Amino acid sequence: MGLFKRTSPTEKLQKKYEKLMADWHRLSTVNRAESDKKYAEAQEVLAKIEQLQA
């Protein structure tokens, strides 16, 4: 019963990272500039995740 389970900040960032990477992959064949922006955003989120875990 996970109805009221709170997600940690790390879990929220992980989901955001996964979404950005999916967007990056989808855009990589269509629009290279937007793809690069999504990848940069994903790397910033990954840095935040690593900072929280340290």
Side-chain angles (χ1 to χ4, degrees):
M1 301 227 6
L3 283 176
F4 300 107
K5 180 184 176 219
R6 291 188 176 215
T7 56
S8 70
T10 305
E11 289 173 339
K12 288 180 184 178
L13 286 172
Q14 184 67 32
K15 286 187 180 191
K16 184 174 181 179
Y17 175 76
E18 290 172 4
K19 181 184 181 307
L20 286 169
M21 289 303 286
D23 289 345
W24 164 73
H25 188 268
R26 180 179 48 80
L27 287 169
S28 66
T29 58
V30 179
N31 187 342
R32 187 66 184 181
E34 286 297 316
S35 171
D36 291 343
K37 288 179 186 178
K38 292 292 182 182
Y39 186 77
E41 286 180 49
Q43 292 307 307
E44 289 175 12
V45 171
L46 183 60
K48 290 178 184 178
I49 290 171
E50 290 173 349
Q51 186 179 21
L52 285 174
Q53 290 177 344

